[in-house]
């Protein structure tokens, strides 16, 4: 609690509260609350609340709430809620709720009630109730009840009850539009 500048490796059931600049390596079951600058590698079962500048790499079962400036890489089963400025790269099974994020080269991505999403190089994407979403180099996507949607090089996308963004959508293959409007496609 209220510690800073230390490193932990090979430990289990770690709890951080109001800490800063912490490095955790190869440790299962970590919880961090109101902390900043936490860097986690090769670990599992992470629960982070009310924190800033979290970096997680090669992690599994990552759950983050009410946090900002997040970077998650090469991780699976990632849940981000009520957070902002998040980047997820090379993830599997990523779920976003009420979050602003950029998701890159990930699979099985779902998002709801979120805004300002950028998805690049992802596959198997489901978006619902999104405000402003940009999809680039994405395959197999379903978008529902969303606004400000822009697509570039997207394959097999179904859009239901949504509206387009200011940018034109282009390079599309396998597009299905249903009950949607304001899409400019070239």
């Amino acid at each position: 609690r209220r510690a800073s500048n230390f490193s932990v490796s090979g430990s289990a059931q770690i709890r951080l509260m109001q800490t800063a600049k912490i490095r955790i390596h190869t440790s299962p079951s970590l919880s961090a609350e109101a902390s900043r600058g936490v860097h986690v590698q090769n670990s599992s079962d992470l629960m982070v609340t009310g924190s800033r500048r979290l970096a997680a790499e090669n992690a599994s079962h990552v759950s983050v709430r009410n946090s900002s400036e997040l970077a998650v890489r090469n991780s699976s089963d990632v849940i981000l809620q009520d957070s902002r400025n998040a980047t997820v790269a090379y993830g599997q099974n990523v779920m976003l709720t009420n979050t602003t994020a950029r998701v890159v080269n990930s699979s099985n991505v779902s998002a709801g009630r979120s805004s300002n999403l950028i998805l690049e190089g992802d596959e198997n994407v489901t978006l619902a109730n999104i405000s402003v979403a940009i999809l680039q180099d994405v395959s197999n996507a379903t978008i529902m009840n969303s606004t400000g949607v822009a697509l570039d090089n997207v394959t097999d996308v179904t859009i239901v009850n949504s509206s387009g963004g200011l940018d034109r959508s282009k390079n599309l293959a396998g597009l299905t539009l249903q009950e949607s409007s304001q899409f400019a496609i070239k």
Side-chain angles (χ1 to χ4, degrees):
R1 185 182 180 105
R2 295 183 180 175
S4 63
N5 291 306
F6 69 86
S7 178
V8 177
S9 180
S11 300
Q13 296 181 333
I14 301 168
R15 187 177 183 193
L16 307 176
M17 296 183 68
Q18 299 176 342
T19 57
K21 297 181 181 177
I22 311 298
R23 296 182 71 87
I24 309 292
H25 194 282
T26 320
S27 300
S29 189
L30 163 72
S31 67
E33 184 176 342
S35 297
R36 56 189 170 85
V38 178
H39 188 177
V40 181
Q41 285 182 293
N42 303 320
S43 300
S44 61
D45 299 317
L46 315 179
M47 294 187 64
V48 179
T49 307
S51 298
R52 286 179 55 204
R53 294 197 301 276
L54 165 75
E57 190 170 357
N58 297 327
S60 62
H61 302 289
V62 180
S63 178
V64 180
R65 295 189 61 153
N66 297 315
S67 298
S68 63
E69 299 173 53
L70 315 168
V72 181
R73 187 178 177 88
N74 290 330
S75 298
S76 61
D77 301 317
V78 178
I79 299 174
L80 306 181
Q81 294 177 283
D82 306 319
S83 298
R84 66 185 191 277
N85 296 339
T87 299
V88 179
Y90 302 100
Q92 282 188 317
N93 305 329
V94 179
M95 182 180 296
L96 313 174
T97 305
N98 191 29
T99 293
T100 63
R102 179 172 175 252
V103 183
V104 182
N105 296 329
S106 298
S107 62
N108 302 331
V109 179
S110 63
R113 294 189 298 105
S114 296
S115 61
N116 298 321
L117 296 183
I118 299 174
L119 288 86
E120 299 173 281
D122 302 310
E123 62 180 1
N124 300 333
V125 172
T126 302
L127 307 180
N129 302 303
I130 306 299
S131 174
V132 184
I134 299 172
L135 284 72
Q136 187 171 2
D137 303 323
V138 170
S139 64
N140 194 15
T142 301
I143 303 169
M144 299 172 287
N145 306 323
S146 298
T147 59
V149 178
L151 314 170
D152 183 4
N153 194 28
V154 175
T155 304
D156 297 329
V157 57
T158 299
I159 301 174
V160 181
N161 192 29
S162 299
S163 62
L166 295 176
D167 295 331
R168 289 189 176 185
S169 293
K170 57 187 178 180
N171 303 319
L172 308 179
L175 169 66
T176 301
L177 277 176
Q178 185 177 344
E179 299 174 14
S180 298
S181 62
Q182 299 178 14
F183 279 90
I185 299 171
K186 67 175 182 179

